Structures are given as structure tokens and as C-alpha cells.
Amino acid sequence: MDNNTSMIGTPLLSSEELQVLEEIGNPISYTVNSVLFGEGEETKFALLIRKGLVRVQTGSPARIVAIRGAGEMVGEMAAARHRPRSASVFAMTEVDALHLPAGLWLQFLYDHPRAMHAQLVAAEERLEEATRKSVDSFLGVEQRLAKVLVEFEAKGAGTVIDGRFAVQLSQRELADVVGASRESVVQVIRALKGREVVSTGRQATIIEDLEALRSIARGELTASP
């Protein structure tokens, strides 16, 4: 999936709702590695990602907790609750977004109950995602890394290189997502490369055998000796 494909409709917003947001919001673009907003900030706006990928990270040292792409919101809860940002968001690629001032975003939700309900469902799904990752922390690094790569592929959170899906994160960033040391992730990637499950490129992990990776993620297979 091409992560640079513009959003024309999302599971959260109908085409009619999206048109309303286009009328009240302002288009904004971010270059690679730009900060969309920082943890602890009291900025009052939400962003609807229209194109590109962003990473959400929190804590010190920072840990990547999510990757968001076209059709997904970032900063919507802080904008609605008038609370400081709970995480920082950085552009992983060139990003086009719709900037929605907090007051207009909140009024939009009041005026569109279906969209408000969809946002509540999305918030619950993100909570479930966080809970699942907490449970996953008890799994081995190999299985956790495989689950992350499979999830990225399923979401299209990467690029296609010569017909193969590539997750464009450094091994340090992958370690942050997995919740493991860089050294452990390097060892696992070396084992996966030895089994030709993945290959590596510049700041990228390329999936060579998706079915094998899925089997590792389910705990049915291991690449480790």
C-alpha cells in the first residue's frame, strides 16, 4: 500500500463529514522529521492526517507507541479536553494534514453525533491496542518484532521497494516500538535475515516472507537457532 495516497474517505469520517472539516479546517504540510506537536504542550488543535505517516512517542527516553497514517486523527483528545498533550508526534514522511482549531473541532463533534461516536470507538480501540502491547511485553523479542512488522504491513505503514513491503524505521526506532534493546533487535533481525524472512536497506527492514513472519508472530515458528 502506498502511504502517500491521499485520503478520500475514512472509517471514522464519512465523505460528507470530511467535506465539513475541509471547510472549517486549514491545510498544513510538514517535512520529514518535523514536530507536529510536543508532549506536555497546551496547544489547542487537532490534526487529520491526509497523506503520509507520523510517529507518536512519549516518555524520556522516548518510546514510539504508535504509527498513524492517512485518515487518522492525532491530538483530537487533548483538543477536546483542553488538556496538555500526552505524547509528541513527528512526521516520518512528507505529511499533509488538516489543522482543526479546538473550538471548531469540538463544535463539529457536537453537530455530528455519528462522527463523535466514531471518535469514541477509535479511542477505545487505541486503549485496547495499548493493553495488547502491554500483554505482548511478556513475549520474546523475536515474536514481538514479528508482530510489529506484520502490523505495519497490514496498516500499510511503510513503502514498497521492488514489490516488497519495507518498514522505514531505523533499528533503534524499531527497538523503541518493540520495547526492547537495540542489541536484542539487531540479533533478531540477523536471525530473520539468515532465514530469508527479512532483508535490510538504508533505515529500512524489508519483508521477504510475509507468511513466515506471520507464523513467527503467532509463535508457531522461530528464526532463532
Side-chain angles (χ1 to χ4, degrees):
M1 181 182 297
D2 182 357
N3 68 69
N4 288 323
T5 300
S6 295
M7 177 195 59
I8 56 175
T10 79
L12 293 181
L13 298 169
S14 68
S15 56
E16 293 79 9
E17 292 161 349
L18 184 58
Q19 181 59 43
V20 173
L21 290 181
E22 294 281 356
E23 293 171 359
I24 65 175
N26 296 300
I28 187 170
S29 297
Y30 299 91
T31 57
V32 178
N33 293 325
S34 294
V35 181
L36 280 65
F37 51 78
E39 185 174 1
E41 288 184 5
E42 296 188 7
T43 43
K44 295 177 172 59
F45 62 86
L47 292 170
L48 173 63
I49 307 301
R50 303 167 78 186
K51 185 173 73 172
L53 292 171
V54 302
R55 69 178 187 273
V56 183
Q57 62 185 56
T58 186
S60 180
R63 180 181 176 189
I64 299 173
V65 295
I67 305 294
R68 305 293 180 212
E72 296 187 279
M73 301 285 303
V74 290
E76 74 281 9
M77 296 307 294
R81 298 168 62 209
H82 302 290
R83 298 290 299 274
R85 303 293 186 185
S86 61
S88 299
V89 177
F90 296 84
M92 296 175 61
T93 65
E94 299 289 329
V95 170
D96 289 339
L98 198 62
H99 180 281
L100 300 162
L104 294 178
W105 167 241
L106 196 55
Q107 188 60 53
F108 166 80
L109 292 177
Y110 289 147
D111 293 342
H112 297 83
R114 194 217 65 84
M116 179 179 285
H117 179 262
Q119 293 299 319
L120 292 174
V121 171
E124 177 66 18
E125 289 176 346
R126 290 182 182 182
L127 179 60
E128 290 177 355
E129 179 184 4
T131 302
R132 185 177 68 252
K133 288 181 178 180
S134 178
V135 173
D136 286 350
S137 67
F138 292 99
L139 302 175
V141 175
E142 180 184 74
Q143 191 174 354
R144 278 150 50 200
L145 176 60
K147 287 172 72 72
V148 165
L149 295 175
V150 168
E151 180 181 355
F152 276 36
E153 190 279 336
K155 291 181 65 174
T159 58
V160 176
I161 300 176
D162 296 331
R164 299 164 300 165
F165 189 84
V167 175
Q168 292 189 301
L169 292 175
S170 69
Q171 292 180 353
R172 171 73 270 171
E173 290 170 327
L174 271 179
D176 288 342
V177 177
V178 171
S181 69
R182 179 182 180 279
E183 292 72 20
S184 296
V185 168
V186 168
Q187 290 178 357
V188 169
I189 289 177
R190 186 179 298 123
L192 293 172
K193 289 174 66 177
R195 293 292 187 92
E196 299 183 343
V197 177
V198 305
S199 60
T200 55
R202 182 176 175 80
Q203 301 282 299
T205 301
I206 304 163
I207 298 175
E208 302 288 352
D209 189 337
L210 181 58
E211 288 308 312
L213 196 63
R214 286 171 174 161
S215 294
I216 293 171
R218 292 192 296 265
E220 301 168 352
L221 182 69
T222 180
S224 300

mmCIF file of all heavy atoms in Angstrom, residues 140-162:
data_model
loop_
_atom_site.group_PDB
_atom_site.id
_atom_site.type_symbol
_atom_site.label_atom_id
_atom_site.label_comp_id
_atom_site.label_asym_id
_atom_site.label_seq_id
_atom_site.Cartn_x
_atom_site.Cartn_y
_atom_site.Cartn_z
ATOM 1 N N GLY A 140 8.679 -12.993 23.795
ATOM 2 C CA GLY A 140 10.071 -12.835 23.422
ATOM 3 C C GLY A 140 10.237 -11.728 22.391
ATOM 4 O O GLY A 140 9.292 -11.362 21.684
ATOM 5 N N VAL A 141 11.448 -11.203 22.285
ATOM 6 C CA VAL A 141 11.719 -10.098 21.369
ATOM 7 C C VAL A 141 11.425 -10.492 19.929
ATOM 8 O O VAL A 141 10.858 -9.712 19.159
ATOM 9 C CB VAL A 141 13.185 -9.622 21.511
ATOM 10 C CG1 VAL A 141 13.507 -8.555 20.456
ATOM 11 C CG2 VAL A 141 13.433 -9.071 22.903
ATOM 12 N N GLU A 142 11.780 -11.715 19.548
ATOM 13 C CA GLU A 142 11.545 -12.153 18.175
ATOM 14 C C GLU A 142 10.066 -12.098 17.819
ATOM 15 O O GLU A 142 9.686 -11.567 16.768
ATOM 16 C CB GLU A 142 12.071 -13.575 17.976
ATOM 17 C CG GLU A 142 11.861 -14.097 16.552
ATOM 18 C CD GLU A 142 12.294 -15.543 16.406
ATOM 19 O OE1 GLU A 142 11.565 -16.427 16.893
ATOM 20 O OE2 GLU A 142 13.348 -15.781 15.803
ATOM 21 N N GLN A 143 9.221 -12.629 18.699
ATOM 22 C CA GLN A 143 7.784 -12.638 18.415
ATOM 23 C C GLN A 143 7.218 -11.227 18.428
ATOM 24 O O GLN A 143 6.376 -10.882 17.585
ATOM 25 C CB GLN A 143 7.049 -13.520 19.420
ATOM 26 C CG GLN A 143 5.599 -13.787 19.039
ATOM 27 C CD GLN A 143 4.925 -14.786 19.972
ATOM 28 O OE1 GLN A 143 5.567 -15.369 20.852
ATOM 29 N NE2 GLN A 143 3.628 -14.994 19.783
ATOM 30 N N ARG A 144 7.671 -10.390 19.354
ATOM 31 C CA ARG A 144 7.190 -9.008 19.413
ATOM 32 C C ARG A 144 7.581 -8.239 18.163
ATOM 33 O O ARG A 144 6.779 -7.478 17.593
ATOM 34 C CB ARG A 144 7.742 -8.314 20.657
ATOM 35 C CG ARG A 144 6.940 -8.618 21.899
ATOM 36 C CD ARG A 144 7.731 -8.593 23.173
ATOM 37 N NE ARG A 144 8.540 -7.402 23.348
ATOM 38 C CZ ARG A 144 9.578 -7.362 24.194
ATOM 39 N NH1 ARG A 144 9.930 -8.433 24.878
ATOM 40 N NH2 ARG A 144 10.258 -6.251 24.342
ATOM 41 N N LEU A 145 8.810 -8.420 17.697
ATOM 42 C CA LEU A 145 9.256 -7.731 16.483
ATOM 43 C C LEU A 145 8.447 -8.204 15.284
ATOM 44 O O LEU A 145 8.015 -7.391 14.451
ATOM 45 C CB LEU A 145 10.740 -7.971 16.254
ATOM 46 C CG LEU A 145 11.316 -7.379 14.959
ATOM 47 C CD1 LEU A 145 11.144 -5.871 14.912
ATOM 48 C CD2 LEU A 145 12.783 -7.754 14.796
ATOM 49 N N ALA A 146 8.219 -9.502 15.199
ATOM 50 C CA ALA A 146 7.428 -10.033 14.087
ATOM 51 C C ALA A 146 6.022 -9.451 14.099
ATOM 52 O O ALA A 146 5.480 -9.075 13.049
ATOM 53 C CB ALA A 146 7.381 -11.561 14.151
ATOM 54 N N LYS A 147 5.405 -9.350 15.284
ATOM 55 C CA LYS A 147 4.064 -8.784 15.386
ATOM 56 C C LYS A 147 4.053 -7.328 14.936
ATOM 57 O O LYS A 147 3.111 -6.888 14.263
ATOM 58 C CB LYS A 147 3.560 -8.897 16.835
ATOM 59 C CG LYS A 147 3.188 -10.306 17.257
ATOM 60 C CD LYS A 147 2.881 -10.406 18.742
ATOM 61 C CE LYS A 147 1.574 -9.752 19.107
ATOM 62 N NZ LYS A 147 0.404 -10.524 18.640
ATOM 63 N N VAL A 148 5.081 -6.571 15.291
ATOM 64 C CA VAL A 148 5.159 -5.167 14.876
ATOM 65 C C VAL A 148 5.272 -5.063 13.361
ATOM 66 O O VAL A 148 4.556 -4.274 12.720
ATOM 67 C CB VAL A 148 6.360 -4.477 15.552
ATOM 68 C CG1 VAL A 148 6.684 -3.154 14.859
ATOM 69 C CG2 VAL A 148 6.066 -4.227 17.023
ATOM 70 N N LEU A 149 6.143 -5.860 12.756
ATOM 71 C CA LEU A 149 6.319 -5.800 11.302
ATOM 72 C C LEU A 149 5.048 -6.224 10.570
ATOM 73 O O LEU A 149 4.659 -5.606 9.565
ATOM 74 C CB LEU A 149 7.502 -6.682 10.881
ATOM 75 C CG LEU A 149 8.883 -6.238 11.380
ATOM 76 C CD1 LEU A 149 9.946 -7.263 10.986
ATOM 77 C CD2 LEU A 149 9.249 -4.856 10.827
ATOM 78 N N VAL A 150 4.383 -7.254 11.073
ATOM 79 C CA VAL A 150 3.128 -7.707 10.461
ATOM 80 C C VAL A 150 2.059 -6.625 10.585
ATOM 81 O O VAL A 150 1.297 -6.370 9.638
ATOM 82 C CB VAL A 150 2.653 -9.023 11.117
ATOM 83 C CG1 VAL A 150 1.216 -9.344 10.710
ATOM 84 C CG2 VAL A 150 3.579 -10.169 10.719
ATOM 85 N N GLU A 151 2.004 -5.982 11.747
ATOM 86 C CA GLU A 151 1.015 -4.918 11.949
ATOM 87 C C GLU A 151 1.274 -3.739 11.010
ATOM 88 O O GLU A 151 0.338 -3.182 10.427
ATOM 89 C CB GLU A 151 1.058 -4.439 13.399
ATOM 90 C CG GLU A 151 0.054 -3.335 13.716
ATOM 91 C CD GLU A 151 0.130 -2.865 15.153
ATOM 92 O OE1 GLU A 151 0.898 -3.445 15.943
ATOM 93 O OE2 GLU A 151 -0.578 -1.908 15.492
ATOM 94 N N PHE A 152 2.542 -3.363 10.848
ATOM 95 C CA PHE A 152 2.879 -2.263 9.947
ATOM 96 C C PHE A 152 2.468 -2.604 8.522
ATOM 97 O O PHE A 152 1.918 -1.763 7.801
ATOM 98 C CB PHE A 152 4.381 -1.972 9.998
ATOM 99 C CG PHE A 152 4.791 -1.066 11.126
ATOM 100 C CD1 PHE A 152 4.166 -1.123 12.360
ATOM 101 C CD2 PHE A 152 5.822 -0.156 10.959
ATOM 102 C CE1 PHE A 152 4.539 -0.301 13.402
ATOM 103 C CE2 PHE A 152 6.198 0.679 11.993
ATOM 104 C CZ PHE A 152 5.558 0.606 13.222
ATOM 105 N N GLU A 153 2.719 -3.839 8.111
ATOM 106 C CA GLU A 153 2.347 -4.251 6.751
ATOM 107 C C GLU A 153 0.845 -4.204 6.571
ATOM 108 O O GLU A 153 0.339 -3.735 5.546
ATOM 109 C CB GLU A 153 2.890 -5.659 6.479
ATOM 110 C CG GLU A 153 2.770 -6.110 5.024
ATOM 111 C CD GLU A 153 1.396 -6.633 4.652
ATOM 112 O OE1 GLU A 153 0.657 -7.088 5.564
ATOM 113 O OE2 GLU A 153 1.042 -6.592 3.453
ATOM 114 N N ALA A 154 0.102 -4.661 7.577
ATOM 115 C CA ALA A 154 -1.360 -4.681 7.493
ATOM 116 C C ALA A 154 -1.929 -3.271 7.389
ATOM 117 O O ALA A 154 -2.932 -3.043 6.700
ATOM 118 C CB ALA A 154 -1.944 -5.409 8.704
ATOM 119 N N LYS A 155 -1.289 -2.306 8.070
ATOM 120 C CA LYS A 155 -1.761 -0.923 8.047
ATOM 121 C C LYS A 155 -1.218 -0.146 6.848
ATOM 122 O O LYS A 155 -1.629 0.983 6.602
ATOM 123 C CB LYS A 155 -1.336 -0.204 9.326
ATOM 124 C CG LYS A 155 -2.029 -0.683 10.580
ATOM 125 C CD LYS A 155 -1.583 0.099 11.800
ATOM 126 C CE LYS A 155 -1.994 1.559 11.702
ATOM 127 N NZ LYS A 155 -1.704 2.305 12.947
ATOM 128 N N GLY A 156 -0.289 -0.744 6.105
ATOM 129 C CA GLY A 156 0.333 -0.015 5.013
ATOM 130 C C GLY A 156 1.267 1.071 5.507
ATOM 131 O O GLY A 156 1.515 2.057 4.808
ATOM 132 N N ALA A 157 1.803 0.889 6.724
ATOM 133 C CA ALA A 157 2.669 1.908 7.327
ATOM 134 C C ALA A 157 4.110 1.701 6.887
ATOM 135 O O ALA A 157 4.982 1.325 7.662
ATOM 136 C CB ALA A 157 2.566 1.858 8.847
ATOM 137 N N GLY A 158 4.340 1.933 5.620
ATOM 138 C CA GLY A 158 5.674 1.770 5.047
ATOM 139 C C GLY A 158 5.638 2.072 3.563
ATOM 140 O O GLY A 158 4.726 2.745 3.080
ATOM 141 N N THR A 159 6.605 1.564 2.845
ATOM 142 C CA THR A 159 6.662 1.778 1.403
ATOM 143 C C THR A 159 6.906 0.447 0.702
ATOM 144 O O THR A 159 7.234 -0.557 1.344
ATOM 145 C CB THR A 159 7.782 2.754 1.027
ATOM 146 O OG1 THR A 159 9.032 2.247 1.511
ATOM 147 C CG2 THR A 159 7.544 4.132 1.628
ATOM 148 N N VAL A 160 6.769 0.439 -0.603
ATOM 149 C CA VAL A 160 7.024 -0.753 -1.403
ATOM 150 C C VAL A 160 8.310 -0.545 -2.180
ATOM 151 O O VAL A 160 8.458 0.441 -2.914
ATOM 152 C CB VAL A 160 5.852 -1.059 -2.352
ATOM 153 C CG1 VAL A 160 6.181 -2.252 -3.241
ATOM 154 C CG2 VAL A 160 4.575 -1.325 -1.556
ATOM 155 N N ILE A 161 9.251 -1.449 -1.995
ATOM 156 C CA ILE A 161 10.547 -1.397 -2.691
ATOM 157 C C ILE A 161 10.683 -2.654 -3.537
ATOM 158 O O ILE A 161 10.742 -3.770 -3.009
ATOM 159 C CB ILE A 161 11.718 -1.311 -1.695
ATOM 160 C CG1 ILE A 161 11.595 -0.048 -0.830
ATOM 161 C CG2 ILE A 161 13.058 -1.330 -2.428
ATOM 162 C CD1 ILE A 161 12.655 0.061 0.241
ATOM 163 N N ASP A 162 10.685 -2.484 -4.862
ATOM 164 C CA ASP A 162 10.794 -3.619 -5.789
ATOM 165 C C ASP A 162 9.763 -4.704 -5.480
ATOM 166 O O ASP A 162 10.069 -5.904 -5.478
ATOM 167 C CB ASP A 162 12.209 -4.215 -5.735
ATOM 168 C CG ASP A 162 13.278 -3.241 -6.210
ATOM 169 O OD1 ASP A 162 12.957 -2.388 -7.057
ATOM 170 O OD2 ASP A 162 14.425 -3.322 -5.720
#
